[in-house]
Amino acid sequence: MDTLKSYTGVCFRGSGFPVHPSNLTTNKNSRNSYWRPTQAAVKSNFHLPMRSFEMKNRTCTEDIKCLRLITAIKTPYLPDGRFDLEAYDALVNMQIESGVEGVIVGGTTGEGQLMSWEEHIMLIAHTVNCFGGKIKVIGNTGSNSTREAIHATEQGFAVGMHGALHINPYYGKTSLDGMVAHFQSVLSMGPTIIYNVPSRTGQDIPPHVIQNLAQNTCLAGVKECVGNDRIKEYTDNRIVVWSGNDDQCHDARWGYGATGVISVASNLIPGLMRELMFGGKNPTLNSKLLPLIDWLFHMPNPIGLNTALAQLGVVRPVFRLPFVPLPLEKRIEFANLVKEIGRQHFVGTEDVQVLDDNDFFLVSRY
C-alpha cells in the first residue's frame, strides 16, 4: 500500500495505464505534453469480448433462423410509468398459447428507446426467466453507439437471451465501412438479426453489406422493411429474411421466400397471424386483415397498438410521452374493426371499448 501511495505516475486519458513522469517529454514552446503510448495501450483488441460459450450453447443461430412468427412485443405500464409486469406476462402468455415462436423485447414496438438500459436488460432477463423455455427471446440491444450496443448485447446474452436484434447507427449516420465495423463488433456474441428500417434510421443497409456480414455464422438473418423485391434478393442468395411489414408479410412469405414475419399485428391477433405464416397462401385472410393493419400504422408505431390494447382491456391506458393515443374517431374505427374480424380472434376477454380522452394517462417522468 505504501508503494502505491508513493507512486507519482499519471494516467493517460482513455488508456487506463499509469505512466511515470520520466516517460513524458515537455516542449518548452508548447503548453501541451507529448506522450508516446506503449504498445499495449493501442492494441485494437485489448478489450476482449465479455462472453460465455456455456451461455451461447443454450441456443444456436439455426434455432433462430427457423422461426416463422416473431412478435415485437408491447411493453405495458403502470399509472406511474413503471413496467406493468403482470400485464406483460399475460401478453406473452397469450402469444405462446397462440403459437408465436419468438418475441422481440424492447424493440421499436416495445418502446426500447424510452427505457433506461437498466430497465431494458431487466425486461429481457425477466422474459427469459419466465418464458425462455417456451419461446425464443430476442433482445433489442442495438444502438447508434457501438459502445452501448456492445455493452447491452454482452449483458443481454449474459442474462440468457437467445438472440439479439441490431439496427444500423441512426441520426449520427456513418459510412458503409463504419456500418460494417459496427455490426462486426457485436456479431460474434451470439445469434443476431439485423434490422433494416430506413424510414426510421434515415439510412438503408444495402444488400452487399449484409452479404459481407453473412460470412459470420452468428448472423441469423435480416428483418427487412424496404419491400419484397429486396427480400427476394436475399432469399435468392440463401440469406434468411423476415418481413418487417405486416401488410406485405403474406406475399413475402409465400411469394418471395421470406422465412416469416416480425410482427406488430400479432400482439392483437396472434392466432390469425400464425395462420397467415403457417397455413399456406391465403389471400382471403390476408385481405380481411389489411384494414386492421392499415389502421395500426395510420400513425407511427406503436401509437395504434397501444391504443388498441388499451381498448381491448389487456393493458392499462398509460402512455409514456412522447406517444399519445389515437384520436376519438380512430378509436371508434378500431372498435368497428374488432367486430368485423371477430372479437374471439383478438387477445383478451373483455369487450372492446371506445375510451374517452380522459381515460388515458400520459406520463412524462418515470
Side-chain angles (χ1 to χ4, degrees):
M1 182 60 71
D2 290 336
T3 303
L4 290 174
K5 286 182 179 179
S6 64
Y7 183 73
T8 59
V10 297
C11 184
F12 182 71
R13 180 178 296 177
S15 72
F17 291 94
V19 183
H20 195 275
S22 62
N23 289 333
L24 291 170
T25 59
T26 302
N27 185 338
K28 293 181 180 180
N29 297 323
S30 171
R31 291 177 296 176
N32 298 323
S33 296
Y34 175 75
W35 177 76
R36 188 177 301 278
T38 62
Q39 184 62 30
V42 297
K43 281 187 176 180
S44 60
N45 291 325
F46 182 75
H47 295 286
L48 299 175
M50 187 179 73
R51 62 189 180 194
S52 164
F53 288 102
E54 292 295 331
M55 175 275 300
K56 287 176 66 177
N57 286 338
R58 293 180 186 175
T59 191
C60 67
T61 306
E62 295 303 316
D63 293 331
I64 303 299
K65 286 183 175 182
C66 67
L67 303 178
R68 299 289 187 264
L69 178 57
I70 303 170
T71 296
I73 197 74
K74 151 75 176 166
T75 306
Y77 305 113
L78 296 167
D80 62 2
R82 290 177 299 137
F83 293 160
D84 186 345
L85 292 180
E86 184 179 354
Y88 178 81
D89 293 348
L91 275 174
V92 177
N93 272 316
M94 285 184 272
Q95 298 296 309
I96 294 170
E97 291 167 3
S98 297
V100 172
E101 300 171 298
V103 288
I104 304 290
V105 179
T108 306
T109 305
E111 301 177 23
Q113 72 277 13
L114 303 185
M115 299 176 189
S116 67
W117 278 116
E118 290 79 7
E119 288 181 312
H120 210 133
I121 300 302
M122 182 275 280
L123 192 60
I124 292 171
H126 173 79
T127 311
V128 171
N129 289 336
C130 294
F131 309 105
K134 301 177 182 177
I135 197 167
K136 295 300 181 186
V137 179
I138 301 165
N140 171 33
T141 54
S143 172
N144 58 350
S145 162
T146 304
R147 176 184 63 83
E148 288 190 8
I150 291 171
H151 186 58
T153 305
E154 287 175 339
Q155 291 186 325
F157 280 117
V159 300
M161 70 182 186
H162 303 112
L165 181 73
H166 279 283
I167 200 164
N168 52 306
Y170 50 88
Y171 187 68
K173 296 180 288 187
T174 184
S175 64
L176 294 184
D177 287 342
M179 189 187 294
V180 170
H182 173 83
F183 287 130
Q184 286 177 336
S185 297
V186 293
L187 264 176
S188 62
M189 297 181 191
T192 300
I193 297 173
I194 290 178
Y195 181 17
N196 186 34
V197 55
S199 63
R200 290 187 179 272
T201 64
Q203 186 178 31
D204 182 32
I205 305 175
H208 70 82
V209 167
I210 298 297
Q211 289 162 7
N212 182 332
L213 296 170
Q215 299 173 38
N216 190 309
T217 57
C218 286
L219 180 66
V222 183
K223 177 186 177 182
E224 183 57 72
C225 296
V226 165
N228 287 341
D229 288 339
R230 175 69 64 85
I231 285 174
K232 183 68 162 54
E233 188 171 350
Y234 286 133
T235 57
D236 284 347
N237 286 283
R238 298 183 179 181
I239 294 174
V240 171
V241 60
W242 293 268
S243 175
N245 300 323
D246 282 316
D247 60 339
Q248 299 177 351
C249 70
H250 171 269
D251 292 347
R253 172 82 173 95
W254 303 110
Y256 293 85
T259 295
V261 62
I262 297 178
S263 175
V264 175
S266 54
N267 279 277
L268 299 173
I269 47 171
L272 293 180
M273 291 304 296
R274 179 179 171 85
E275 186 176 343
L276 213 58
M277 290 296 100
F278 284 82
K281 286 186 178 181
N282 194 337
T284 302
L285 175 59
N286 187 54
S287 297
K288 182 179 180 180
L289 299 181
L290 284 178
L292 172 65
I293 294 170
D294 290 341
W295 180 91
L296 268 177
F297 296 96
H298 172 74
M299 290 287 183
N301 182 51
I303 295 170
L305 176 64
N306 293 353
T307 305
L309 288 171
Q311 294 200 172
L312 290 169
V314 177
V315 304
R316 289 179 170 87
V318 180
F319 282 66
R320 280 186 174 184
L321 288 171
F323 296 126
V324 297
L326 288 176
L328 180 59
E329 60 270 21
K330 300 302 290 185
R331 302 199 292 265
I332 294 171
E333 185 180 333
F334 174 71
N336 292 330
L337 284 167
V338 172
K339 293 172 184 176
E340 290 173 11
I341 295 172
R343 178 63 183 90
Q344 71 275 14
H345 296 300
F346 287 77
V347 294
T349 57
E350 297 180 14
D351 289 337
V352 63
Q353 302 177 29
V354 177
L355 297 178
D356 295 326
D357 290 343
N358 293 333
D359 292 327
F360 293 93
F361 293 83
L362 305 182
V363 185
S364 59
R365 301 183 71 175
Y366 40 83

